[in-house]
Short mmCIF file of all heavy atoms in Angstrom, two decimals:
data_model
loop_
_atom_site.label_atom_id
_atom_site.label_comp_id
_atom_site.label_asym_id
_atom_site.label_seq_id
_atom_site.Cartn_x
_atom_site.Cartn_y
_atom_site.Cartn_z
N ILE U 34 -4.51 1.05 -10.20
CA ILE U 34 -4.07 1.23 -8.82
C ILE U 34 -2.61 1.69 -8.87
O ILE U 34 -1.76 1.02 -9.47
CB ILE U 34 -4.26 -0.07 -8.00
CG1 ILE U 34 -5.77 -0.33 -7.87
CG2 ILE U 34 -3.57 0.03 -6.64
CD1 ILE U 34 -6.16 -1.58 -7.15
N ALA U 35 -2.36 2.87 -8.28
CA ALA U 35 -1.07 3.55 -8.51
C ALA U 35 0.12 2.78 -7.99
O ALA U 35 1.25 2.99 -8.42
CB ALA U 35 -1.11 4.94 -7.88
N SER U 36 -0.11 1.87 -7.03
CA SER U 36 1.00 1.15 -6.41
C SER U 36 1.23 -0.22 -7.05
O SER U 36 2.06 -0.99 -6.57
CB SER U 36 0.72 0.97 -4.92
OG SER U 36 -0.62 0.56 -4.71
N GLU U 37 0.48 -0.53 -8.11
CA GLU U 37 0.62 -1.86 -8.72
C GLU U 37 1.30 -1.78 -10.08
O GLU U 37 1.35 -0.73 -10.71
CB GLU U 37 -0.76 -2.53 -8.82
CG GLU U 37 -1.32 -2.79 -7.43
CD GLU U 37 -2.60 -3.60 -7.43
OE1 GLU U 37 -3.05 -4.02 -8.50
OE2 GLU U 37 -3.13 -3.80 -6.32
N GLY U 99 7.82 -2.82 2.40
CA GLY U 99 8.13 -1.42 2.69
C GLY U 99 7.93 -1.09 4.16
O GLY U 99 8.73 -0.38 4.78
N ALA U 100 6.85 -1.62 4.75
CA ALA U 100 6.58 -1.35 6.17
C ALA U 100 7.72 -1.91 7.02
O ALA U 100 8.17 -1.27 7.98
CB ALA U 100 5.25 -1.98 6.57
N HIS U 127 2.02 8.27 4.24
CA HIS U 127 1.87 6.82 4.37
C HIS U 127 1.64 6.42 5.82
O HIS U 127 2.17 7.04 6.75
CB HIS U 127 3.10 6.10 3.81
CG HIS U 127 2.88 4.62 3.65
ND1 HIS U 127 3.42 3.70 4.51
CD2 HIS U 127 2.12 3.93 2.76
CE1 HIS U 127 3.03 2.48 4.13
NE2 HIS U 127 2.25 2.60 3.07
N LEU U 128 0.87 5.35 5.97
CA LEU U 128 0.53 4.77 7.26
C LEU U 128 1.74 4.61 8.20
O LEU U 128 1.65 4.87 9.40
CB LEU U 128 -0.04 3.38 6.94
CG LEU U 128 -0.65 2.53 8.03
CD1 LEU U 128 -1.93 3.18 8.52
CD2 LEU U 128 -0.95 1.13 7.50
N THR U 129 2.87 4.20 7.63
CA THR U 129 4.04 3.86 8.47
C THR U 129 4.90 5.08 8.81
O THR U 129 5.98 4.93 9.37
CB THR U 129 4.93 2.83 7.75
OG1 THR U 129 5.34 3.38 6.49
CG2 THR U 129 4.20 1.53 7.53
N ALA U 179 5.54 9.73 0.16
CA ALA U 179 4.08 9.75 0.24
C ALA U 179 3.47 8.64 -0.60
O ALA U 179 4.16 7.99 -1.37
CB ALA U 179 3.58 11.10 -0.27
N SER U 180 2.17 8.48 -0.43
CA SER U 180 1.44 7.44 -1.17
C SER U 180 0.51 7.99 -2.24
O SER U 180 0.13 7.28 -3.16
CB SER U 180 0.57 6.63 -0.21
OG SER U 180 1.21 5.45 0.12
N ALA U 181 0.11 9.24 -2.06
CA ALA U 181 -0.83 9.80 -3.04
C ALA U 181 -0.32 11.11 -3.63
O ALA U 181 -0.87 11.60 -4.62
CB ALA U 181 -2.20 10.04 -2.39
N ALA U 207 9.02 4.84 -2.01
CA ALA U 207 8.32 3.67 -2.56
C ALA U 207 7.58 3.99 -3.87
O ALA U 207 7.71 3.26 -4.85
CB ALA U 207 7.35 3.10 -1.54
N HIS U 208 6.82 5.10 -3.86
CA HIS U 208 6.03 5.38 -5.06
C HIS U 208 6.89 5.88 -6.22
O HIS U 208 6.57 5.67 -7.38
CB HIS U 208 4.92 6.38 -4.76
CG HIS U 208 3.64 5.66 -4.51
ND1 HIS U 208 2.81 5.27 -5.52
CD2 HIS U 208 3.08 5.20 -3.37
CE1 HIS U 208 1.78 4.60 -5.02
NE2 HIS U 208 1.93 4.54 -3.71
N THR U 231 9.70 0.24 -1.46
CA THR U 231 9.27 -1.05 -1.98
C THR U 231 9.89 -1.21 -3.37
O THR U 231 10.46 -0.25 -3.91
CB THR U 231 7.73 -1.12 -2.12
OG1 THR U 231 7.31 0.04 -2.83
CG2 THR U 231 7.05 -1.18 -0.77
N HIS U 233 8.16 -3.00 -6.01
CA HIS U 233 7.17 -3.55 -6.96
C HIS U 233 6.22 -2.50 -7.53
O HIS U 233 5.28 -2.83 -8.23
CB HIS U 233 6.34 -4.63 -6.26
CG HIS U 233 5.82 -4.20 -4.92
ND1 HIS U 233 6.50 -4.43 -3.76
CD2 HIS U 233 4.72 -3.51 -4.57
CE1 HIS U 233 5.82 -3.92 -2.74
NE2 HIS U 233 4.73 -3.36 -3.22
N LYS U 234 6.44 -1.23 -7.21
CA LYS U 234 5.48 -0.21 -7.71
C LYS U 234 6.00 0.29 -9.06
O LYS U 234 6.04 -0.51 -10.01
CB LYS U 234 5.33 0.90 -6.67
CG LYS U 234 4.73 0.42 -5.34
CD LYS U 234 4.42 1.57 -4.42
CE LYS U 234 3.65 1.14 -3.19
NZ LYS U 234 4.53 0.68 -2.09
N ASN U 348 -8.42 3.01 -6.46
CA ASN U 348 -8.84 3.01 -5.05
C ASN U 348 -9.34 4.36 -4.59
O ASN U 348 -8.86 5.40 -5.03
CB ASN U 348 -7.72 2.49 -4.11
CG ASN U 348 -6.51 3.36 -4.09
OD1 ASN U 348 -5.69 3.31 -5.00
ND2 ASN U 348 -6.40 4.17 -3.07
N ASN U 350 -9.65 7.39 -2.17
CA ASN U 350 -8.54 8.02 -1.44
C ASN U 350 -9.02 9.33 -0.87
O ASN U 350 -9.64 10.13 -1.60
CB ASN U 350 -7.39 8.28 -2.44
CG ASN U 350 -6.04 8.27 -1.78
OD1 ASN U 350 -5.30 7.31 -1.93
ND2 ASN U 350 -5.71 9.29 -1.02
N ARG U 366 -7.67 7.64 -6.27
CA ARG U 366 -6.28 7.71 -6.71
C ARG U 366 -6.12 6.78 -7.92
O ARG U 366 -6.50 5.62 -7.87
CB ARG U 366 -5.36 7.26 -5.58
CG ARG U 366 -3.88 7.39 -5.91
CD ARG U 366 -3.00 6.78 -4.83
NE ARG U 366 -3.20 5.35 -4.72
CZ ARG U 366 -2.35 4.50 -4.13
NH1 ARG U 366 -1.25 4.97 -3.56
NH2 ARG U 366 -2.60 3.21 -4.08
N1 DSN V 1 -0.34 0.42 0.00
C1 DSN V 1 0.59 1.14 -0.81
C2 DSN V 1 -0.09 2.07 -1.74
O1 DSN V 1 -1.12 1.67 -2.27
O2 DSN V 1 0.36 3.17 -1.98
C3 DSN V 1 1.56 1.83 0.00
O3 DSN V 1 2.12 0.93 0.88
#
Side-chain angles (χ1 to χ4, degrees):
I34 293 178
S36 45
E37 295 187 2
H127 192 255
L128 187 67
T129 58
S180 260
H208 263 276
T231 50
H233 48 268
K234 297 188 172 87
N348 65 282
N350 208 105
R366 184 187 64 162

